[in-house]
Amino acid sequence: MAIMTDGTVPARGTSATKVAFFNDPKVRSLIFQGLALALLVFVIYSAVSNAVTNLSNQRIAAGFGFLDQTAGFGISQTPIAWSESMSYGRAFVIGLLNTLLVAVVGIFFATILGFIVGVSRLSPNWVISKIAYWYVEIIRNLPLLFQILFWYLAVLAAMPTPRNSYSLFGLFFANQRGITVPKPIFEAGSGAIGIALIVGIIAAFAVRSWARKRQAATGQQFPVVSTMIGLIFGLPILAYLASGMPVSFDYAQQGRFNLAGGMTLIPEFVALTLALVAYTAAFIGEIVRAGIQAVSHGQTEAGRSLGLAEGRILNLIVIPQALRVIIPPLTSQYLNLAKNSSLAVGIGYPDMVSVGGTILNQTGQAIEIIAMWMGCYLTISIVTSIFMNWYNARIALVER
Amino acid sequence: MKRIVSTLALGAALGLGATAALAQAPSTTLRNIQNKGFVQCGVSQGLAGFSQPDSAGNWTGLDVDFCRALAAAIFNDPSKVRFSPLSAKDRFTALQSGEVDVLSRNSTWTIQRDTSLGLNFAGINYYDGQGFLVRKSLNVKSARELSGASVCVQTGTTTELNVADFFRTNNLKFEPVVFATADETIKAYDAGRCDVFTTDASGLYAERVKLAKPDDHMVLPEIISKEPLGPVVRHGDDQWFDIVKWTHFAMITAEELNISKANLDQMLQSTNPEIRRTLGAEGNFGEALGLSRDWVVRIVRHVGNYAEVFDRNVGPSTRLGISRGLNALWNKGGLQYAPPIR
Ligand SMILES: N[C@@H](CCC(=O)N[C@@H](CS)C(=O)NCC(=O)O)C(=O)O
């Protein structure tokens, strides 16, 4: 805005009713947005068409056709069936599943450990709060890749050779090749157990919401937790017995090099999960602490003056309010954990980046693989965000 | 990380067509090299005898000497070369994107790399095959006894494919544990993660010296694949391809004609027409390549013939102690053979 020589600001509004069309802010913003969009489209278009011509000039193959070709390499952890004669596409899916596996398991344990750390930091017990403090300070200040390598070498060094495995009842084993447990084999008729489990879970939640409604209406309480546990575990066990016990176990046996049979958690998975959980929990701990401290102390005091027990004050008053502060930054930590799992390549865990890298290398399809990586990480992140935003909205303060 | 960077560089180079190596017309690699004053050569991150930096940062090895021979042929100065250490998975991307002019990094010539990766193999400077390293304490005498073993391999190699083939054809089970770099692979093997470490036989000897107790390990007798290793260039520059190809042939030819660093000056007086042609006294093949007339003289004077390079880096008197075997000249029971210089 121009300032007049005498220091006054030119009067506005006299001509505002009839601005020139190119001065209309709406028109302007439309024009600029249109230009930006056109520029973006042009850049993408010319990049893509350049890539295509350059690739074909150098006679480098392009396109996603390679995904159907035989992969020919082995993978150490395969949640779904895999053999070397299957396709690159399936190999990539296995990598993706391995990524999701560490992400889900990691998020689960990091949340639990993080809450424990956060609450411990606020503990009136000096030793506990100092331990939590040093845990956070040490872990979050060391580079993650270094921690992953540390856990990997620590896991390998702590474990005996396969011929001298630690064993528990001859059923569970631990050695340098991983942790081996009996593998359940589901025979015909075991579908009933799965159905019973699903029914059990649905019934458990139905009971919970019924009990809540009833308590809200009448004040009567109901033993919700024990009923839920009973439903979720009891129904499948009943189904198992009723259908003639159709599940048997494949026990691990000492082979020439390693245990044969059973189900094995490979050391790469164990080390990666430990490192991601320990690392992310330090950040989550700080978020939880901040969240709890954000709830004003008056709330706790109000709860006390109503005569509520300390546990109830925490569960019913402090945590629900703290969660509103905690959830948004917690979401970022979940996203970080999922993305950090790509550091798995450093220790040979067959995640999406590692397996994708192998495919990239064997086929040379760099651009395609990078696009697939980006697509997958983006999808994982967006789905996580959507879920957390939904949860955030659900626990938001309901004004009455 | 490095791979991501160079892959992105490839993406950027291919996408925006901005990198000189790709955007310019063919036959410019040599001119670029002459302008910048050095050859950019992709080598391994450290493989004793092939390409390894010493404590002062000087690179030595068979693959390194090949790069020096190129620099000698172009600049008459074997030091005009810069090395880019590349892991197995980064190497081809680095070459495609123009980050290096030539890849001299124990790379196996396969049809897939030669065609769909858009590369050209300029020859075979080391005939190799894949082998297995195991702990002596396992009491294994043959690779066929390895069913159920865990195998440490490096990603992005022919190794990881061969090992899967081998176990599959012999109906044996195995657990592959795949690492990104040679160092991670050998460390995991040493830490006891795997029963077996597998790579090219030359690599087994080179990596074995990195183990805590090399004498506790042994190489099994089986060689399960053909690994013809050689220098690689990009598609699209025939002149540069020729230079790289004939630098290798020049070193073989020099050995065959008994031209060595020591007797080079005598040889320059020779009346043997083959020697005279090779050393540029007759004919002018060097300039036809885009180099100078005395290109072979330069190579031999600064680097030596193939035998000298082999013996100095990996031969029986070195720590690797590899005998010539398949890499002997064709007229001495081996496979090394060069087309005539005429
Ligand atoms: N010749 C095989 C394998 C070459 C290879 O990368 N070998 C490894 C193991 S000896 C190596 O040289 N690593 C050194 C490094 O990554 O720097 C190929 O071309 O795929």
Side-chain angles (χ1 to χ4, degrees):
Chain A
M1 193 175 288
I3 310 271
M4 295 293 183
T5 38
D6 61 358
T8 60
V9 176
R12 234 178 138 222
T14 42
S15 60
T17 42
K18 257 213 159 293
V19 278
F21 125 92
F22 50 83
N23 276 337
D24 183 337
K26 266 197 196 134
V27 176
R28 273 199 175 189
S29 87
L30 272 182
I31 291 177
F32 284 125
Q33 288 181 39
L35 279 178
L37 191 69
L39 192 70
L40 189 71
V41 169
F42 172 74
V43 167
I44 292 176
Y45 168 79
S46 53
V48 169
S49 71
N50 250 318
V52 170
T53 26
N54 278 328
L55 285 170
S56 71
N57 282 348
Q58 283 196 72
R59 292 197 282 131
I60 298 178
F64 287 91
F66 70 97
L67 288 175
D68 293 331
Q69 290 164 18
T70 306
F73 54 82
I75 304 177
S76 59
Q77 175 180 297
T78 52
I80 54 174
W82 170 251
S83 92
E84 289 82 3
S85 52
M86 291 180 177
S87 69
Y88 285 121
R90 192 174 175 99
F92 192 91
V93 170
I94 289 183
L96 174 62
L97 291 175
N98 285 338
T99 293
L100 291 174
L101 191 67
V102 264
V104 170
V105 174
I107 285 175
F108 179 75
F109 287 107
T111 310
I112 295 179
L113 184 60
F115 269 79
I116 294 176
V117 169
V119 172
S120 306
R121 277 212 60 183
L122 297 173
S123 163
N125 180 323
W126 189 84
V127 177
I128 290 182
S129 88
K130 278 296 158 198
I131 290 177
Y133 170 78
W134 283 110
Y135 173 83
V136 169
E137 286 310 323
I138 292 174
I139 295 280
R140 71 173 179 180
N141 286 309
L142 290 175
L144 178 57
L145 183 58
F146 165 83
Q147 294 189 38
I148 292 176
L149 289 174
F150 167 81
W151 283 107
Y152 188 48
L153 295 176
V155 166
L156 285 186
M159 289 295 167
T161 63
R163 286 182 186 180
N164 310 308
S165 310
Y166 295 139
S167 110
L168 194 66
F169 314 126
L171 294 177
F172 305 96
F173 299 90
N175 61 36
Q176 286 172 327
R177 303 292 131 77
I179 299 170
T180 305
V181 300
K183 178 180 179 178
I185 299 184
F186 298 100
E187 286 144 25
S190 49
I193 303 174
I195 295 173
L197 179 68
I198 297 172
V199 171
I201 293 175
I202 296 174
F205 280 91
V207 167
R208 189 178 74 153
S209 77
W210 165 80
R212 282 189 176 172
K213 281 205 190 99
R214 193 181 69 152
Q215 188 178 355
T218 67
Q220 277 174 293
Q221 291 191 359
F222 187 81
V224 177
V225 175
S226 50
T227 313
M228 285 178 78
I229 292 176
L231 281 170
I232 293 174
F233 291 96
L235 280 184
I237 293 175
L238 278 181
Y240 169 68
L241 296 174
S243 57
M245 300 194 268
V247 181
S248 64
F249 286 92
D250 172 25
Y251 301 100
Q253 250 137 33
Q254 187 68 51
R256 169 136 196 215
F257 295 99
N258 191 6
L259 301 162
M263 235 171 24
T264 303
L265 278 185
I266 57 174
E268 290 77 24
F269 175 80
V270 176
L272 182 66
T273 312
L274 280 175
L276 289 173
V277 166
Y279 185 74
T280 315
F283 291 90
I284 294 182
E286 283 299 273
I287 293 170
V288 169
R289 180 179 67 100
I292 293 177
Q293 284 181 332
V295 180
S296 97
H297 194 57
Q299 298 279 328
T300 316
E301 285 169 348
R304 288 205 186 115
S305 66
L306 284 177
L308 286 178
E310 288 296 321
R312 301 212 134 197
I313 297 178
L314 203 64
N315 278 333
L316 296 175
I317 298 177
V318 181
I319 296 210
Q321 297 187 74
L323 275 182
R324 295 186 193 116
V325 180
I326 291 174
I327 296 299
L330 189 65
T331 309
S332 317
Q333 290 306 322
Y334 288 175
L335 299 181
N336 282 347
L337 190 145
K339 287 178 288 184
N340 284 338
S341 71
S342 65
L343 291 171
V345 265
I347 57 168
Y349 176 74
D351 79 326
M352 183 168 61
V353 173
S354 164
V355 176
T358 300
I359 301 173
L360 188 161
N361 231 274
Q362 300 297 359
T363 61
Q365 309 289 326
I367 294 174
E368 292 82 350
I369 295 286
I370 300 243
M372 286 164 68
W373 277 335
M374 296 203 304
C376 288
Y377 277 117
L378 205 64
T379 312
I380 293 175
S381 296
I382 289 178
V383 169
T384 313
S385 293
I386 290 178
F387 173 77
M388 294 301 281
N389 286 343
W390 165 80
Y391 186 63
N392 196 28
R394 217 184 80 117
I395 60 163
L397 202 59
V398 187
E399 308 258 357
R400 275 188 260 246
Chain B
M1 197 66 232
K2 169 103 192 182
R3 202 261 324 286
I4 309 253
V5 171
S6 52
T7 313
L8 288 181
L10 173 68
L14 294 172
L16 303 173
T19 301
L22 296 181
Q24 293 181 2
S27 294
T28 53
T29 311
L30 180 63
R31 204 176 325 130
N32 280 341
I33 290 172
Q34 283 163 340
N35 287 344
K36 66 186 174 185
F38 59 87
V39 180
Q40 189 78 43
C41 182
V43 292
S44 85
Q45 291 168 313
L47 189 63
F50 288 83
S51 46
Q52 199 176 33
D54 64 14
S55 49
N58 298 314
W59 285 86
T60 57
L62 186 95
D63 285 340
V64 163
D65 279 347
F66 184 79
C67 302
R68 297 206 189 281
L70 280 173
I74 298 169
F75 297 111
N76 198 16
D77 180 353
S79 67
K80 294 209 162 157
V81 46
R82 292 199 189 158
F83 297 99
S84 303
L86 299 168
S87 75
K89 57 182 187 135
D90 299 336
R91 56 187 157 168
F92 299 119
T93 316
L95 182 61
Q96 290 170 331
S97 65
E99 209 175 302
V100 296
D101 301 313
V102 56
L103 186 70
S104 177
R105 188 206 170 282
N106 51 316
S107 295
T108 304
W109 187 346
T110 68
I111 189 170
Q112 197 263 349
R113 293 171 178 176
D114 206 344
T115 56
S116 41
L117 292 197
L119 305 175
N120 276 328
F121 281 77
I124 298 168
N125 68 347
Y126 191 96
Y127 286 91
D128 209 343
Q130 183 175 337
F132 294 108
L133 186 76
V134 296
R135 282 182 185 73
K136 283 182 183 158
S137 63
L138 284 178
N139 271 322
V140 180
K141 296 280 167 289
S142 153
R144 284 177 217 289
E145 298 168 32
L146 290 177
S147 191
S150 298
V151 183
C152 282
V153 296
Q154 194 175 344
T155 188
T157 57
T158 48
T159 319
E160 97 180 293
L161 303 179
N162 295 330
V163 70
D165 280 0
F166 174 81
F167 280 88
R168 186 146 57 114
T169 33
N170 289 293
N171 262 321
L172 309 173
K173 281 208 172 103
F174 79 115
E175 181 201 19
V177 191
V178 184
F179 296 89
T181 68
D183 254 14
E184 287 162 6
T185 320
I186 195 76
K187 275 207 191 101
Y189 170 74
D190 212 10
R193 175 62 180 97
C194 300
D195 305 296
V196 184
F197 170 64
T198 180
T199 186
D200 303 342
S202 62
L204 289 184
Y205 290 101
E207 297 289 354
R208 187 170 144 176
V209 300
K210 290 187 192 160
L211 295 170
K213 291 187 193 137
D215 290 336
D216 290 358
H217 304 263
M218 59 182 261
V219 176
L220 295 179
E222 283 89 352
I223 293 292
I224 63 163
S225 69
K226 294 184 288 186
E227 305 291 328
L229 313 181
V232 201
V233 297
R234 281 181 293 278
H235 273 174
D237 187 342
D238 289 346
Q239 184 197 29
W240 179 237
F241 182 31
D242 286 343
I243 292 173
V244 176
K245 196 159 50 181
W246 283 95
T247 299
H248 170 63
F249 290 147
M251 292 162 87
I252 302 287
T253 308
E255 177 183 356
E256 195 178 321
L257 298 176
N258 263 321
I259 310 173
S260 68
K261 260 183 167 174
N263 68 10
L264 183 62
D265 291 324
Q266 279 149 268
M267 284 295 180
L268 284 169
Q269 315 302 321
S270 171
T271 52
N272 175 333
E274 244 186 306
I275 295 178
R276 287 177 63 78
R277 275 197 303 273
T278 301
L279 297 181
E282 271 174 32
N284 193 354
F285 305 110
E287 277 173 25
L289 274 176
L291 302 173
S292 67
R293 207 184 176 103
D294 64 343
W295 61 295
V296 182
V297 177
R298 293 172 169 195
I299 293 173
V300 176
R301 170 164 297 132
H302 295 297
V303 181
N305 66 30
Y306 183 76
E308 290 175 286
V309 169
F310 191 97
D311 291 342
R312 178 165 74 222
N313 292 304
V314 299
S317 63
T318 65
R319 202 153 54 136
L320 297 191
I322 302 177
S323 59
R324 284 292 287 272
L326 290 178
N327 291 297
L329 289 186
W330 60 283
N331 53 10
K332 293 191 182 144
L335 294 175
Q336 289 294 358
Y337 183 103
I341 296 185
R342 74 173 320 137

